[in-house]
Amino acid sequence: MMIKRRQFIASSAMLAIAPMLTESIAFAKSNERRLTAASAAIPLLGSGAPATKVWAYNASVPGPALRFRPGEVFDLAFHNELDRPSTVHWHGLRVPNAMDGVPVLTQAPVMPGQQFRYAFELKNPGTFWYHPHFQSAEQLDRGLHGVIIVEEDESPPVDRDLVWVLDDWRLDGEGQIANDFGDLHDVSHQGRFGNTASVNGRVPSDFTVRSGERIRLRLVNVANAWIFGLDFAGHTPMVVAYDGHAVEPHPPADGLVVVGPSQRVDLILDMGGAPGERFEVVDRYYPRRSFKLMDIVYERAALRTASLSDAIALPRPDLPQPSLASAERHEITFSGGAMGGLRSAQFDGRETGIRELARAGKVWAVNGVVAARHDEPPVLRLDYGRSYIIDFVNETAFPHPIHLHGHPMKLLAVNGSLASRDTWRDTLLMASRSRATVALVADNPGRWMLHCHIPEHQEAGMMAVVEVA
Ligand code: C2O
Ligand code: CU
């Protein structure tokens, strides 16, 4: 769905009455390790507008940010007080398979009124997040998501360490979530797009900073389909981590910080503006839909006159290094969708024509198979402990954020051009008709999901299972 100009004007009018940007989201107290999913209402559009009915973890959107010191153990009881089953997936964390939160594949869905205890060791520092993996298109979109931060042993000194949870909402005229989940146009095109963007569960307005301040900004895109491309005009953000894993600090390509659905980008921002100055943060990913997300507003008094000069690199990621010389090579192809030219695919065990697939609402395929359920026979079987190179090929007319569970992937090349720095990803944002080459060590046994993180695509067939044994 293209966003209509009118709707944007409506949402910028709402900006005027929106409160100051909530700079910090609520962090869970360390003894509060209970996550309850239930209906709630939030002041998404600000206090002057009607509250928006949502589904939320612990009654807030985003849910409580779970923050851990290195070496701490993750241990949390999930209570399902929704009227339908759910599970929680710890996106990007290298968890044991049984803790991965995928219905049927790794656990039985948690039924209404039931609970499930998730407990595991935390292996790597970084910015991660959590969300349901059951009927994700609707459960995620209605507000069920939260951030997980695992601190580094040592990290560069900053004045503030902030999180921006980026999201979008498809709201009706009353400020309520539009009920058209599963719309076949959304499913077969770019997914469910909203008409209102939010940061930390609010339509943002001003972000107040001080001259000379150094901010670590953790961007987390929890939208179903919206790709954010943030332009911090007048500033030079430095990327220090992708999907939680440290990368050599660098300014983003073309000055645009691109965060696809489910991806994270950690930035170090030196606030070099003068006291009293004002700048815009503009989302320019979609050139015809660019809009101002918020203003950066400098306070009257400077914090310091020159920026800090400490090094900003995070400690190098401690991840299993694939051996490229001995790696076995595989190819995974994504096809289907509108204008994708798919004629038929395997569905429920038989070759099925596109008309019949479309009638079943299943229009995307992975290596020629349209997934009917979470526990499909594996598309790949990997030997435990072995290194692999995987070529992902997006043959479709749309971009897709391709997510692999349990194993961060080292990016080797995009469309044949070699990656210029060590980059680890749990989600690759693949452009339409492109190829991405990654390497990994199959070091985590079990059956893992590989899927597009646009849940409308995932639920319409764009998922597969990778087995490590
Ligand atoms: Cu964040 Cu399988 O998902
Ligand atoms: Cu997709």
Side-chain angles (χ1 to χ4, degrees):
M1 184 192 85
M2 298 302 284
I3 290 173
K4 294 184 207 81
R5 172 108 191 109
R6 195 159 32 85
Q7 288 167 301
F8 262 116
I9 293 169
S11 55
S12 30
M14 288 161 188
L15 289 178
I17 53 161
M20 296 277 282
L21 175 64
T22 318
E23 290 184 3
S24 36
I25 55 184
F27 278 95
K29 295 171 206 78
S30 53
N31 60 356
E32 182 202 358
R33 291 293 189 226
R34 178 184 158 124
L35 204 58
T36 304
S39 355
I42 59 162
L44 173 66
L45 301 175
S47 47
T52 303
K53 294 193 193 92
V54 296
W55 296 345
Y57 291 119
N58 296 5
S60 72
V61 177
L66 307 173
R67 192 168 196 130
F68 297 90
R69 298 284 310 141
E72 270 188 286
V73 169
F74 189 105
D75 191 344
L76 176 152
F78 167 61
H79 292 252
N80 183 7
E81 288 175 11
L82 300 168
D83 63 358
R84 62 204 66 212
S86 194
T87 61
V88 192
H89 171 58
W90 316 100
H91 184 117
L93 292 180
R94 297 162 66 212
V95 302
N97 194 250
M99 295 289 114
D100 202 39
V102 179
V104 188
L105 191 68
T106 72
Q107 69 169 98
V110 184
M111 303 309 280
Q114 302 288 297
Q115 56 168 300
F116 188 90
R117 179 172 169 209
Y118 292 97
F120 46 84
E121 268 171 51
L122 292 162
K123 293 195 171 172
N124 297 91
T127 308
F128 306 99
W129 67 295
Y130 58 92
H131 61 80
H133 220 288
F134 188 88
Q135 296 170 352
S136 325
E138 180 167 6
Q139 295 197 8
L140 178 59
D141 194 72
R142 287 195 183 275
L144 290 167
H145 51 73
V147 172
I148 301 169
I149 292 173
V150 186
E151 291 172 7
E152 295 89 13
D153 282 323
E154 264 179 84
S155 49
V158 293
D159 297 301
R160 283 188 292 169
D161 180 345
L162 303 177
V163 182
W164 284 4
V165 175
L166 307 170
D167 199 0
D168 70 332
W169 306 79
R170 185 180 289 179
L171 298 179
D172 64 17
E174 270 79 61
Q176 302 306 318
I177 298 169
N179 241 321
D180 54 348
F181 291 97
D183 174 86
L184 191 59
H185 188 273
D186 291 341
V187 164
S188 58
H189 290 71
Q190 46 193 345
R192 181 181 169 93
F193 262 76
N195 51 24
T196 306
S198 70
V199 175
N200 298 344
R202 302 286 176 279
V203 171
S205 55
D206 290 350
F207 174 52
T208 308
V209 302
R210 288 173 297 170
S211 184
E213 192 177 19
R214 174 167 282 180
I215 295 173
R216 177 171 180 173
L217 188 55
R218 302 171 191 257
L219 303 174
V220 184
N221 183 350
V222 305
N224 284 29
W226 192 303
I227 302 167
F228 286 85
L230 301 187
D231 178 350
F232 291 83
H235 298 80
T236 309
M238 295 293 281
V239 176
V240 295
Y242 287 118
D243 293 355
H245 304 297
V247 63
E248 181 195 314
H250 63 279
D254 308 318
L256 217 57
V257 184
V258 174
V259 202
S262 93
Q263 293 186 315
R264 286 87 63 217
V265 178
D266 283 37
L267 300 176
I268 297 283
L269 262 176
D270 277 317
M271 308 316 300
E277 271 197 289
R278 181 178 273 267
F279 298 85
E280 292 187 343
V281 180
V282 175
D283 179 6
R284 293 193 199 290
Y285 187 79
Y286 306 96
R288 291 186 304 145
R289 277 188 246 171
S290 92
F291 72 100
K292 180 177 89 172
L293 185 64
M294 65 173 79
D295 281 322
I296 294 180
V297 181
Y298 280 77
E299 282 183 8
R300 299 243 151 256
L303 175 65
R304 57 176 74 84
T305 46
S307 301
L308 293 179
S309 54
D310 308 68
I312 56 172
L314 300 173
R316 282 172 165 280
D318 179 16
L319 293 168
Q321 282 291 340
S323 139
L324 299 186
S326 67
E328 192 176 285
R329 201 154 185 146
H330 291 278
E331 188 169 285
I332 303 265
T333 300
F334 302 98
S335 59
M339 301 164 285
L342 184 71
R343 290 167 168 269
S344 72
Q346 283 285 314
F347 177 57
D348 235 349
R350 66 181 177 90
E351 194 65 21
T352 308
I354 188 66
R355 290 238 177 109
E356 193 182 336
L357 287 171
R359 271 198 300 275
K362 305 280 181 185
V363 294
W364 302 93
V366 181
N367 279 10
V369 179
V370 174
R373 55 187 69 86
H374 276 95
D375 57 341
E376 289 283 329
V379 65
L380 279 184
R381 290 176 202 273
L382 308 182
D383 292 340
Y384 174 63
R386 184 147 189 200
S387 293
Y388 290 88
I389 294 176
I390 303 175
D391 277 300
F392 292 109
V393 183
N394 175 6
E395 287 184 344
T396 79
F398 296 93
H400 302 280
I402 300 300
H403 174 46
L404 175 65
H405 287 210
H407 300 76
M409 305 173 277
K410 186 174 184 175
L411 186 63
L412 299 182
V414 174
N415 289 331
S417 41
L418 298 183
S420 53
R421 53 183 81 80
D422 274 15
T423 302
W424 294 86
R425 285 288 200 181
D426 57 54
T427 307
L428 302 167
L429 181 59
M430 295 192 68
S432 162
R433 307 206 161 89
S434 73
R435 169 183 291 261
T437 310
V438 302
L440 58 85
V441 182
D443 72 330
N444 201 349
R447 291 186 299 155
W448 302 99
M449 291 256 78
L450 168 70
H451 64 89
C452 176
H453 216 287
I454 296 173
E456 292 75 32
H457 294 175
Q458 177 196 348
E459 290 173 3
M462 208 171 186
M463 63 176 165
V465 171
V466 174
E467 183 170 57
V468 176

